[in-house]
């Protein structure tokens, strides 16, 4: 999840969400960065409204998780 | 300048040495605070020093000398002189000032309050059974302002009752009632008034951390990360099970709605058909038209 | 469910949902494809708005899960 | 989601869930495959019990459909 | 329930929901048809919006599911 | 859903659930029968205990009533 | 939330959650770091079991999503 968190920091700081910035944040945290994952993340987020996606509860899986703990 | 120079010259040697010593103390720590030590018996103060050992150091002296040292320290510490009044000491630490504040708060203990002392905060007699047998004590409680009465063989306080406002003096009667009830309204301990840490002045309210709030922030941040990963369909080890479930749920929903003849959804499709036939039957008023199993 | 997943991929890629494409996807995955199931799937999906059906999956279980944890 | 669907097809067909197979399935569906996403997916799935995740999902919508799992 | 199912099939096929059609469907399924029930069913469904009634069934179970596990 | 309804009628009448019977019921209802769907349905139902699935479904509405008032 | 995200990255990377590391991560993301917030976060998180909170978060969205219906 550290890659996702890094994207979220960049989203809040207003810096561009690109491979270089992501890599910098992760390296500063001592993460052994995999470029393919950075690339994949940038690609996955390309058309995503992060602020919206973050608040939208991921319906199904969350449910599953909830049911698992709740039941 | 000349007056100050003269003042400096008139300072006795022992005071000069004391100030030098305090100045040296100040230079050893990244964070320095002023703590109130009012009402702490000297033996308890010794215990507190020992508990702080390794984290922070307490330095007590005459207030004038503390002030002088802070003023001479010359890196912003002079801002702390405003907190030097009454019985105070300086506390130095290289730890996080927030952590220091928490540690000091945690080390505070309660103590009984004596007649003639000023209440540091509102004094409340809590609702509940006092455990005291019926007798004149109920009258004493009522006279200090507690809503008390005898109930089922003992004296009960019917509701939380404020018996004294903060800043008011404790009467002899109240002191007796409180001690009978075992209520210790005073908090005794090192009371941090202000801390100067690496260029920033913190007051107690700045240092008070709502740990629960931080915990809930962590949960929110984690949930946000999770939502983003799932909604943007970025695979992470933690969210993969959820993402797989989501995909499966979508396929299942499609299969159910399109009535796709897939073995995995057949039981659900049958259930769906059964639910529909029952829903339709529920709209039929004439029992003659209904199958036996649904007739009254 | 592999036939349904194949339909969902085609729906996302924007390729036509026909027997040939479905067969290709399934064969690429090593599935021993049954033509009658492919045919049946195409027929079943003819008048279905797949995006809508998928979205409903997100909507419904949320309720379910909530109750499970909430109760 | 097409990458996840592809993984699920492979899981059902019993073929190995590796980069090559995923790429083949997606390409057969006309997806413009990004290798970084394929890589990231395979990595993320390494320690995941897919059948278990799928079963959990199956439990939830079943309830929805009307088949009482709980009760 | 076979009489009501027969009505549902006719509703989907778009054929008229009359005694003759119902009887045909049921007989094709090997049902020993009772004319009085067929008559009663046709009369009872005259003023019922079948699509609406069926949709209600779809809506209900969603809630049900949650309650079943949650309660 | 008409294919599923037809299967359920046959299940109630006790006639064999095979392609021929299904086709007859659907044709009697004026459905333009697709053999592939009939085939797929028969195959999909091979290992399903229909009565059990119906019973489970039947358990739900009772709960529903309770949830409506109780929830 | 950027400070908290930074803490979560450090938690995952296994690096110590201290003022210096937090500052580095945030600065790499172009955040104009406030030392007092960093200090407060470090002190507060000392008493928080981050892994536990993260796990609970996985269960939370279900509750959130369902609160409307479930509550």
């Amino acid at each position: 999840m550290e890659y996702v968190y890094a994207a979220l920091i960049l989203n809040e700081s207003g810096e561009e969400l690109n491979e270089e910035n992501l890599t910098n944040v992760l390296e500063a945290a001592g993460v052994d960065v995999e470029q393919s994952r950075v690339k994949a993340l940038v690609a996955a987020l390309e058309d995503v409204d992060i602020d919206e996606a973050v608040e939208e509860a991921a319906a199904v899986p969350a449910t599953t998780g909830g049911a698992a703990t709740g039941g | 300048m000349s007056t100050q120079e003269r003042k400096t010259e008139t300072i006795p040697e022992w005071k000069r040495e004391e100030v030098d010593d305090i100045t040296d103390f100040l230079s050893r720590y990244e964070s320095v605070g002023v703590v109130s030590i009012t009402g702490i018996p000297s033996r308890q103060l010794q215990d507190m020093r020992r508990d702080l050992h390794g984290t922070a150091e307490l330095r007590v002296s005459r207030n004038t000398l503390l002030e002088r040292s802070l003023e001479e320290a010359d890196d912003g510490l002079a801002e702390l002189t405003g907190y030097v009044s009454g019985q105070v000491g300086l506390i130095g630490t290289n730890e996080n000032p927030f952590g220091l504040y928490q540690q000091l708060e945690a080390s505070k203990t309660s103590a009984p309050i004596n007649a003639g002392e000023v209440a540091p905060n509102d004094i409340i007699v809590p609702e509940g059974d006092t455990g005291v047998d019926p007798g004149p004590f109920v009258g004493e409680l009522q006279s200090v302002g507690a809503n008390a009465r005898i109930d089922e063989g003992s004296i009960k306080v019917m509701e939380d009752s404020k018996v004294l406002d903060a800043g008011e003096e404790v009467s002899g009667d109240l002191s007796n009632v409180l001690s009978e009830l075992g209520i210790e309204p005073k908090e005794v301990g090192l009371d941090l008034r202000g801390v100067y840490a690496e260029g920033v002045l913190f007051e107690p309210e700045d240092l008070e951390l709502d740990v629960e709030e931080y915990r809930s922030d962590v949960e929110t941040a984690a949930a946000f990360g999770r939502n983003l990963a799932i909604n943007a369909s970025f695979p992470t080890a933690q969210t993969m099970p959820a993402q797989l479930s989501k995909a499966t749920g979508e396929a299942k929903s499609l299969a159910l709605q399109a009535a796709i003849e897939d073995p995995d959804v057949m039981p659900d499709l049958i259930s769906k058909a059964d639910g529909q036939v029952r829903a339709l039957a529920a709209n039929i008023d004439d029992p003659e038209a209904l199958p036996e199993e649904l007739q009254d």
Side-chain angles (χ1 to χ4, degrees), chain A, chain B:
Chain A
M1 285 291 266
E2 61 272 30
Y3 291 73
V4 180
Y5 294 137
L8 284 167
I9 300 185
L10 287 171
N11 183 57
E12 292 212 15
S13 76
E15 292 291 307
E16 203 190 336
L17 217 163
N18 58 25
E19 294 177 29
E20 195 191 333
N21 287 342
L22 273 175
T23 306
N24 286 344
V25 174
L26 289 165
E27 280 182 348
V31 175
D32 189 11
V33 184
E34 281 175 59
Q35 278 314 311
S36 67
R37 295 187 68 182
V38 170
K39 246 189 175 57
L41 182 59
V42 172
L45 292 177
E46 216 158 337
D47 298 323
V48 173
D49 179 334
I50 294 184
D51 291 324
E52 211 177 85
V54 147
E55 293 209 7
E56 198 183 310
V60 172
T63 308
T64 312
T69 37
Chain B
M1 284 305 281
S2 61
T3 49
Q4 195 175 348
E5 270 166 31
R6 201 180 324 123
K7 204 171 159 191
T8 310
E9 280 162 21
T10 58
I11 283 182
E13 184 58 22
W14 72 267
K15 284 190 180 178
R16 187 66 254 166
E17 281 173 10
E18 178 81 352
V19 168
D20 287 347
D21 192 54
I22 297 171
T23 305
D24 183 47
F25 166 88
L26 295 176
S27 67
R28 285 202 300 274
Y29 295 104
E30 290 169 10
S31 305
V32 173
V34 175
V35 288
S36 164
I37 55 174
T38 308
I40 305 178
S42 62
R43 242 190 72 190
Q44 223 175 319
L45 197 60
Q46 285 308 318
D47 291 344
M48 288 174 178
R49 273 182 203 275
R50 202 178 49 238
D51 290 343
L52 283 173
H53 185 72
T55 324
E57 189 182 348
L58 182 66
R59 185 69 167 83
V60 180
S61 186
R62 295 189 184 194
N63 287 0
T64 50
L65 300 182
L66 294 178
E67 280 172 5
R68 181 181 285 268
S69 309
L70 288 169
E71 275 160 8
E72 285 183 6
D74 191 48
D75 55 355
L77 284 173
E79 286 191 54
L80 286 174
T81 54
Y83 302 104
V84 178
S85 66
Q87 287 179 274
V88 296
L90 294 180
I91 194 158
T93 184
N94 289 324
E95 307 266 310
N96 187 314
F98 292 89
L100 176 66
Y101 176 79
Q102 279 178 300
Q103 191 185 354
L104 294 183
E105 286 301 298
S107 72
K108 284 183 177 171
T109 54
S110 62
I113 196 161
N114 298 316
E117 286 191 80
V118 168
N121 34 41
D122 290 350
I123 298 179
I124 310 285
V125 173
E127 175 188 341
D129 192 338
T130 62
V132 179
D133 290 337
F137 186 58
V138 69
E140 291 173 35
L141 272 169
Q142 286 163 350
S143 72
V144 299
N147 177 5
R149 75 158 96 118
I150 291 163
D151 186 33
E152 287 174 23
S154 69
I155 298 173
K156 286 191 175 126
V157 176
M158 307 313 292
E159 62 191 1
D160 284 356
S161 306
K162 183 162 79 173
V163 293
L164 196 66
D165 287 328
E168 289 185 7
E169 195 177 299
V170 176
S171 68
D173 285 347
L174 181 55
S175 172
N176 287 339
V177 167
L178 293 174
S179 91
E180 177 74 27
L181 293 172
I183 293 173
E184 301 186 334
K186 279 201 300 188
E187 268 200 330
V188 179
L190 299 173
D191 199 28
L192 201 54
R193 289 183 176 176
V195 180
Y196 192 81
E198 296 169 275
V200 185
L201 182 69
F202 295 97
E203 297 212 308
E205 57 265 33
D206 306 324
L207 294 172
E208 205 172 332
L209 292 174
D210 185 341
V211 172
E212 271 317 301
E213 204 173 290
Y214 278 89
R215 190 194 149 82
S216 102
D217 279 353
V218 170
E219 281 184 27
T220 304
F224 279 4
R226 213 180 140 76
N227 287 345
L228 181 59
I230 293 167
N231 289 329
S233 141
F234 174 72
T236 74
Q238 289 95 322
T239 54
M240 238 18 252
Q243 285 165 291
L244 290 166
S245 296
K246 184 182 180 190
T248 308
E250 288 173 350
K252 197 156 184 178
S253 172
L254 177 60
L256 276 175
Q257 290 182 54
I260 295 170
E261 294 81 5
D262 188 293
D264 286 341
V265 292
M266 276 328 294
D268 290 322
L269 273 177
I270 292 169
S271 295
K272 184 181 172 185
D274 185 67
Q276 289 175 334
V277 85
R278 278 165 195 278
L280 181 56
N283 280 281
I284 297 174
D285 295 329
D286 181 2
E288 288 294 309
L290 291 173
E292 290 81 8
E293 67 225 65
L294 291 181
Q295 284 174 10
D296 290 330

